[in-house]
Amino acid sequence: MAQAAAAGRVRDNGMKKQKFRFLAILLSCIMLLLSAEPALATSVSDLEKQKKELEQQKKEADAKKKQEQQKYDNAAGVADAIQGEVDEVAGEIDEIDAALVETIASVEIIEEEIEEKEAQIEETTGEYEEAIATEQEQYEAMKLRIKFMYEKGDSTYLEILLTSQSFADMMNKVEYVEKLYEYDRNLLEEYQAAREMVEALKEKLEEERAELEAQEHELMEEKESLEIILAEKKTLYEDYEAQLSRARQEAAVYKANIRKQNDEIKRLTAAAQEKQSQIDEAKRLEEEARKAQELALQRQGEEEARQNSGGGDSESSSDSSSGSSSKTYASASNYSGSGSKGQQIANYACQFIGNPYVPGGTSLTEGADCSGFVWRVYKDFGYSLPRTSYSMRSSGTGVSYSEAQPGDVVCYAGHVGIYIGGGQIVHASTQKTGIKITHATYKEILSVRRIV
């Protein structure tokens, strides 16, 4: 009986030691968990949920940034377009200013010429009146001599013959009378010619003065017209400047929003990374705790195996995946080999008919304005064009409309399109009609530019 009691006490002591070791292992696991970083205060599933929320917030911030970027691009495109109009009007103002200065200078020159003509006319008028007076005096003197010499008819010649001392004397007297008559007649003719010449000069000067006055009148009308046009252009320039200022302010607001979204995206990205670090650390600590628990259970099993038997457990996991698809258009490379390069460009551009018109836009699918549409089509073929319709007027080589070929850029006042042949263009028309085909001569063509 004593031996049996002693054996019972030994078994009890063994069981107590085994329980003590098991409790010690559990206590060490609990201490390990209690000494872990704060990440363990929240479960891994909660941390992953928080991370997903941060990633969703980041995705929303990315979408909002994209919207703000699109708004900024639109506003910047509008500002660029208005800047082109401002530059164009400024150039027109400079041209009108130069024309006005030239017209004013021409008016001053003509006024000086009119003054000179009036002085010449006044001087010529004096000469004319003097010539008339001289002619009249000579005429009166000749009349007296003619009257004296020929008034009595043949008797005068008879007296000359009778009073002559000789035949030679008679001939001298007759010759003298004839020379005197010839002298008077020649002198009178000279005065008449001089009078006529002065009169013709006077008439010519008066005609020239009349022409100068007519030119002055036309130039004054031109000056008034230029002043009116200049005032209108200045008003238009000021209006464009105001529009440009508003567009730039709007673009600045969108740009500030983009910076704000960038900061928010950076913050959310950092927070998600930090959350991932917490998840990784929590998983590490959970793994360590799990291993400690397994070790404790293993040791317990080893102790129990000495007396009874033990078992274990296992885990499994699974995951899934998904995909998405989106609508696409044929790329520019798909049109290679379909005719000339210009024809390829025209064919490529026509596939976007029906897409929207968006001021300042450059997207062939989401929306573009007239210059953004042309710019993007050519960009897809590797060509670099200016962004505004005004600047496109000087791109490539100018050709006449009768020589236009598919792919040529047709320029209008504040608008551009791509010629597709048959007297038609494809262009981003208006916000109401979007990208469409129109007759090329629907309004006045300023120029046709060949890029390829």
Side-chain angles (χ1 to χ4, degrees):
M1 294 293 293
Q3 291 179 350
R9 285 195 296 273
V10 170
R11 283 198 305 271
D12 291 338
N13 289 334
M15 292 295 293
K16 289 179 180 179
K17 290 180 180 179
Q18 182 179 353
K19 291 180 179 179
F20 178 78
R21 285 196 298 271
F22 178 69
L23 290 174
I25 292 172
L26 288 179
L27 181 61
S28 65
C29 291
I30 293 171
M31 292 301 293
L32 180 62
L33 292 173
L34 292 175
S35 63
E37 295 184 8
L40 283 177
T42 306
S43 67
V44 172
S45 61
D46 289 339
L47 290 173
E48 289 178 340
K49 183 178 179 181
Q50 293 172 9
K51 180 189 174 186
K52 286 182 179 179
E53 290 176 353
L54 290 171
E55 289 175 343
Q56 180 61 31
Q57 292 176 17
K58 179 178 177 295
K59 186 181 295 184
E60 293 173 356
D62 284 332
K64 189 172 182 181
K65 175 192 172 183
K66 186 177 180 180
Q67 293 175 357
E68 294 296 326
Q69 184 67 49
Q70 183 63 39
K71 291 178 182 178
Y72 171 76
D73 292 341
N74 292 343
V78 171
D80 290 341
I82 296 174
Q83 182 64 61
E85 299 293 344
V86 169
D87 295 340
E88 183 177 356
V89 173
E92 292 175 355
I93 289 174
D94 291 340
E95 292 176 0
I96 295 171
D97 267 332
L100 185 58
V101 170
E102 183 178 353
T103 301
I104 293 173
S106 298
V107 170
E108 292 176 352
I109 292 172
I110 287 178
E111 287 176 347
E112 292 177 359
E113 291 180 354
I114 289 175
E115 291 179 1
E116 293 177 0
K117 292 296 179 185
E118 288 178 345
Q120 292 176 3
I121 290 172
E122 184 176 354
E123 181 180 353
T124 304
T125 301
E127 294 176 356
Y128 175 70
E129 292 174 352
E130 183 179 349
I132 290 176
T134 303
E135 176 192 2
Q136 190 63 31
E137 290 176 1
Q138 178 62 24
Y139 178 68
E140 294 298 332
M142 186 182 71
K143 283 199 304 183
L144 288 175
R145 281 193 290 273
I146 291 173
K147 182 179 180 182
F148 177 76
M149 292 175 60
Y150 302 110
E151 191 175 50
K152 298 179 181 179
D154 295 339
S155 61
T156 304
Y157 288 99
L158 182 59
E159 289 176 1
I160 292 173
L161 294 173
L162 294 175
T163 57
S164 298
Q165 299 297 324
S166 63
F167 180 75
D169 182 39
M170 180 186 67
M171 293 301 295
N172 288 335
K173 289 181 178 181
V174 171
E175 185 179 359
Y176 171 75
V177 171
E178 290 178 350
K179 287 182 177 180
L180 183 61
Y181 171 76
E182 185 70 20
Y183 169 78
D184 285 335
R185 188 182 66 182
N186 291 338
L187 191 60
L188 180 59
E189 289 176 353
E190 289 177 1
Y191 281 121
Q192 287 176 340
R195 178 182 58 78
E196 291 173 357
M197 182 181 68
V198 173
E199 184 177 8
L201 178 60
K202 179 183 176 184
E203 290 178 356
K204 180 181 178 182
L205 290 172
E206 288 177 346
E207 289 178 359
E208 291 177 352
R209 181 182 65 179
E211 291 178 359
L212 289 172
E213 289 175 345
Q215 293 180 21
E216 181 186 24
H217 177 72
E218 292 176 357
L219 286 172
M220 290 301 294
E221 288 185 344
E222 182 178 352
K223 175 176 172 290
E224 292 175 359
S225 176
L226 287 172
E227 288 174 343
I228 293 172
I229 295 173
L230 182 61
E232 292 175 351
K233 291 295 181 183
K234 287 183 176 179
T235 300
L236 182 60
Y237 180 84
E238 292 172 356
D239 181 57
Y240 278 136
E241 281 286 339
Q243 293 182 35
L244 181 61
S245 177
R246 289 194 296 270
R248 285 177 173 170
Q249 289 176 359
E250 185 177 358
V253 170
Y254 293 140
K255 193 170 185 179
N257 290 340
I258 291 171
R259 286 197 295 268
K260 182 178 178 181
Q261 290 304 313
N262 282 334
D263 293 340
E264 180 66 8
I265 290 169
K266 289 179 181 178
R267 185 190 70 79
L268 292 171
T269 300
Q273 291 174 349
E274 175 64 22
K275 196 63 65 176
Q276 183 61 49
S277 298
Q278 293 177 9
I279 291 172
D280 294 341
E281 181 65 15
K283 286 182 177 180
R284 183 184 67 80
L285 294 174
E286 282 186 353
E287 181 66 16
E288 291 179 356
R290 185 184 65 80
K291 288 180 179 180
Q293 184 179 10
E294 287 179 353
L295 179 60
L297 293 173
Q298 181 181 358
R299 290 179 178 177
Q300 179 185 2
E302 290 173 354
E303 291 294 334
E304 292 178 351
R306 294 188 185 118
Q307 299 176 0
N308 302 309
S309 62
D313 57 355
S314 63
E315 298 178 345
S316 65
S317 64
S318 64
D319 56 16
S320 63
S321 63
S322 64
S324 63
S325 63
S326 61
K327 181 180 177 182
T328 60
Y329 287 82
S331 65
S333 60
N334 290 341
Y335 286 85
S336 60
S338 60
S340 65
K341 181 65 72 174
Q343 186 67 59
Q344 295 173 26
I345 290 172
N347 294 343
Y348 175 70
C350 286
Q351 73 171 323
F352 302 104
I353 292 171
N355 287 345
Y357 176 103
V358 176
T362 58
S363 172
L364 299 177
T365 55
E366 301 300 325
D369 58 19
C370 65
S371 58
F373 174 69
V374 175
W375 175 84
R376 183 53 187 266
V377 168
Y378 270 90
K379 182 177 183 295
D380 288 352
F381 279 85
Y383 295 92
S384 178
L385 292 184
R387 176 59 183 82
T388 65
S389 58
Y390 176 80
S391 301
M392 286 184 186
R393 296 184 194 173
S394 58
S395 298
T397 303
V399 298
S400 64
Y401 172 65
S402 61
E403 299 173 330
Q405 297 178 2
D408 290 346
V409 178
V410 182
C411 303
Y412 307 88
H415 193 69
V416 289
I418 298 175
Y419 188 72
I420 61 174
Q424 294 181 318
I425 61 169
V426 59
H427 62 139
S429 178
T430 65
Q431 288 179 293
K432 182 178 180 180
T433 59
I435 298 173
K436 68 172 188 174
I437 291 177
T438 304
H439 287 291
T441 55
Y442 81 106
K443 67 177 182 177
E444 182 182 0
I445 296 175
L446 298 183
S447 64
V448 178
R449 311 302 299 184
R450 182 157 298 159
I451 310 302
V452 299

